[in-house]
Amino acid sequence: MISEQFIFIGTAVSLIGISLYIKDIFLGNTKPNLVSWFLWMLGPFLGAFFQLKAGAGLSALPVFMAGFGPLLVIIFSLWNKNAYWKITRFDIICGFFSLLALVIYVITHNLGVSIIFAIISDALASMPTIAKSWKFPETETVAPYFTGIFSNILGLLIIKNWIFLIYSFSAYLIVLNITIICCIKRKKIFGILRGI
């Protein structure tokens, strides 16, 4: 376990990652899927609330930042009308089931069940961006996903009470961010693997 003060480094790094993503939106290099980003905002905000309710303290900050960054992406994407990805039927289906899981997450009175549905909701919200990153990697930027990994690792390292409710969302976000980076960089990764 490291000092809780390190969490502020993770927060600053997350803000840098989101700033780079927003810069790429304005340059036209990145086109976020607003279904994913909207739901990525809701789930972590609720996840951070339930983590705090379970006694997480500052270790909930990376999860909160996982919602705050998408809020900024949505605001700046809507400001720049040509900046976001067109919504497909697949996006709507994923969004619907993500919202359904989010509703179950909110109404259940068991914190353990709540956090599982928060993760399910976030994973479903991620499907449109994962699919887009796989098919059109040039429309994504790795910065917020990379800094999300760093921030959530720091969040895990400051945990004092290792219970599922406190560590699960951060651990999930690390796996999700690695997955999206692998989709964006898959051609480079496969090229390296072929050379081995």
Side-chain angles (χ1 to χ4, degrees), residues 57-96:
L58 278 176
S59 65
L61 188 57
V63 177
F64 172 82
M65 289 305 296
F68 182 70
L71 174 63
L72 295 177
V73 168
I74 291 165
I75 291 168
F76 286 104
S77 294
L78 293 175
W79 188 9
N80 184 0
K81 299 274 187 226
N82 297 320
Y84 50 86
W85 194 252
K86 290 177 179 55
I87 296 172
T88 66
R89 186 184 331 184
F90 176 72
D91 301 340
I92 293 168
I93 292 168
C94 290
F96 172 78

Side-chain angles (χ1 to χ4, degrees), residues 2-183:
I2 61 173
S3 168
E4 284 189 340
Q5 304 308 313
F6 279 94
I7 205 66
F8 297 111
I9 295 170
T11 301
V13 168
S14 290
L15 288 173
I16 291 168
I18 286 297
S19 299
L20 293 171
Y21 195 85
I22 291 168
K23 178 192 77 142
D24 278 354
I25 290 170
F26 280 105
L27 292 175
N29 299 331
T30 296
K31 292 185 181 281
N33 181 299
L34 293 186
V35 171
S36 288
W37 286 92
F38 176 74
L39 293 165
W40 281 344
M41 175 191 67
L42 289 181
F45 278 163
L46 290 168
F49 171 76
F50 283 112
Q51 279 185 316
L52 289 170
K53 204 170 171 184
L58 278 176
S59 65
L61 188 57
V63 177
F64 172 82
M65 289 305 296
F68 182 70
L71 174 63
L72 295 177
V73 168
I74 291 165
I75 291 168
F76 286 104
S77 294
L78 293 175
W79 188 9
N80 184 0
K81 299 274 187 226
N82 297 320
Y84 50 86
W85 194 252
K86 290 177 179 55
I87 296 172
T88 66
R89 186 184 331 184
F90 176 72
D91 301 340
I92 293 168
I93 292 168
C94 290
F96 172 78
F97 285 108
S98 175
L99 279 173
L100 183 62
L102 204 53
V103 168
I104 294 168
Y105 159 58
V106 170
I107 63 172
T108 189
H109 296 289
N110 180 310
L111 286 177
V113 173
S114 289
I115 204 74
I116 290 168
F117 276 97
I119 291 169
I120 290 168
S121 173
D122 197 83
L124 288 166
S126 302
M127 292 300 134
T129 293
I130 290 171
K132 181 176 78 75
S133 298
W134 184 266
K135 292 178 188 171
F136 307 101
E138 68 281 358
T139 66
E140 278 295 333
T141 300
V142 298
Y145 308 112
F146 181 75
T147 57
I149 293 167
F150 178 78
S151 174
N152 281 284
I153 287 172
L154 281 181
L156 291 176
L157 292 175
I158 68 164
I159 291 175
K160 294 176 184 160
N161 186 11
W162 275 85
I163 60 172
F164 181 76
L165 289 171
I166 293 174
Y167 72 77
S168 57
F169 209 95
S170 288
Y172 153 75
L173 288 173
I174 292 166
V175 172
L176 171 67
N177 285 316
I178 289 169
T179 301
I180 294 173
I181 289 171
C182 287
C183 289

